[in-house]
Amino acid sequence: MMRFGSQKLAVLYALVLVLCLFPFFSASGALAVGILFSLLGWRLPSFSRYASFMLQASIVLMGFGMQVAEVLEASQTGLISTAVSVVLVMAAGYVLARCLKVEGTTGLLIASGTAICGGSAIAAVAPLVRARNEQTSFALVVVFVLNALALFLFPWLGHLFQLSETSFGWWAALAIHDTSSVVGAGAVYGPQALEVATTTKLVRALWILPLSLVLSLVYGRGEKGRFSVPWFIFLFAGSIGMVWLFPSAAPVYSVLGALGKRGMVMALFLIGSGLSFKEARKAGWRSFAMGVLLWLLVGSVALLVLKYSSV
């Protein structure tokens, strides 16, 4: 196994972080590289300790990329249906976690990622519930694996079940974790499927805010009983509000939103590099089974509803 001194390792970390700024370096790829570093023993705590702050800052910047007015105007009915589905998925996740005896924080992260928008939701929720690196990493791995599988599987299943483009767009938005794979699957299926899937998924992503506020109330008391203010969630709401109130600055918002996405990639690399496999093994097969079962449940129920409805 190749060993590096702290200075050389710092240079290597810096190089990967620079690569994270480029579009070809995906979020799942960054997490995988970070986990590889951890496997090889290339840990650098002086870098990894900034992962939580970078996650929070990235969530705030990503708020500038959310076109709230357009989304709500295009999908008024979607707001109600996504609200119902988010609540039901979170409830189902809680039940599955209890039945499978999954550790509470890991189960909550997986349920949040499934209910809303994959890695982004997990990144927003993790600091609020004081998740450890291994808990966050494991939840992200589960979501990314299922997300990649859905990108290839869903278009094939859509044709198999003879779904219309509109129905497929709804199904993809409800049952695929990350927005990127929702967009990819919709694009493969057809232009109308892409439009419906993207709009519905963006409406769904807005539920990061109310979920985060609820969790901040539940988990927000520190060791001395003081309430811990989730500053980044309020800043996230502020960034969304600025886009809505001052649309003339759209070019600036676009840049800030893009920086948020790349910052998220950098944070995932740092989270992966700080992974403790001794702790991750405690999550075991039960956590992965929970993620798979919850995903199958959401996909199956959504498919049945859409198949036999007028959508």
Side-chain angles (χ1 to χ4, degrees):
M1 183 184 298
M2 186 180 296
R3 294 288 181 182
F4 292 99
S6 58
Q7 290 184 339
K8 290 184 178 179
L9 192 55
V11 171
L12 187 59
Y13 265 69
L15 177 61
V16 176
L17 289 173
V18 170
L19 289 175
C20 288
L21 295 173
F22 292 90
F24 64 81
F25 209 68
S26 67
S28 55
L31 180 64
V33 171
I35 292 174
L36 177 62
F37 273 37
S38 185
L39 275 171
L40 295 173
W42 297 350
R43 294 193 182 92
L44 203 60
S46 58
F47 275 71
S48 300
R49 67 184 180 183
Y50 294 109
S52 180
F53 172 79
M54 192 170 291
L55 273 179
Q56 296 173 23
S58 298
I59 288 292
V60 173
L61 290 174
M62 286 171 66
F64 288 104
M66 303 185 78
Q67 304 296 328
V68 184
E70 294 180 13
V71 169
L72 295 182
E73 182 180 353
S75 187
Q76 295 179 0
T77 58
L79 191 63
I80 298 174
S81 62
T82 52
V84 173
S85 67
V86 167
V87 172
L88 291 178
V89 173
M90 292 298 296
Y94 175 79
V95 172
L96 279 174
R98 293 294 298 269
C99 291
L100 292 172
K101 298 181 180 179
V102 174
E103 191 275 328
T105 301
T106 303
L108 178 59
L109 293 176
I110 293 173
S112 300
T114 305
I116 302 178
C117 55
S120 299
I122 292 173
V125 167
L128 296 174
V129 299
R130 295 185 287 277
R132 300 189 303 273
N133 269 358
E134 59 271 9
Q135 294 170 323
T136 305
S137 297
F138 196 89
L140 287 167
V141 167
V142 171
V143 165
F144 283 145
V145 169
L146 297 178
N147 193 57
L149 181 61
L151 178 60
F152 299 101
L153 186 62
F154 270 56
W156 176 76
L157 288 174
H159 289 298
L160 179 66
F161 291 109
Q162 299 180 332
L163 295 179
S164 67
E165 287 197 26
T166 300
S167 293
F168 180 83
W170 276 93
W171 186 43
L174 292 172
I176 300 179
H177 296 85
D178 281 321
T179 303
S180 57
S181 287
V182 170
V183 172
V188 170
Y189 208 77
Q192 188 174 0
L194 174 61
E195 180 180 352
V196 173
T198 303
T199 302
T200 307
K201 192 63 177 180
L202 289 175
V203 174
R204 196 175 185 83
L206 292 177
W207 279 89
I208 290 177
L209 184 57
L211 176 63
S212 297
L213 290 175
V214 169
L215 291 177
S216 70
L217 292 174
V218 175
Y219 291 87
R221 294 197 176 277
E223 295 178 359
K224 297 181 180 180
R226 297 177 181 176
F227 184 74
S228 177
V229 179
W231 62 266
F232 76 100
I233 290 300
F234 293 108
L235 290 177
F236 174 64
S239 63
I240 295 175
M242 285 185 65
V243 175
W244 195 358
L245 294 173
F246 307 104
S248 59
V252 177
Y253 300 148
S254 178
V255 173
L256 293 175
L259 286 175
K261 290 180 180 179
R262 301 326 300 173
M264 180 73 69
V265 175
M266 297 168 73
L268 293 181
F269 161 68
L270 294 177
I271 287 174
S273 68
L275 178 63
S276 166
F277 286 92
K278 180 180 179 181
E279 293 296 328
R281 279 195 294 270
K282 293 180 181 179
W285 64 269
R286 295 177 185 273
S287 298
F288 201 88
M290 175 207 161
V292 173
L293 289 174
L294 185 59
W295 179 59
L296 291 175
L297 177 63
V298 172
S300 300
V301 171
L303 179 60
L304 287 173
V305 171
L306 292 167
K307 182 67 175 175
Y308 297 104
S309 69
S310 57
V311 177

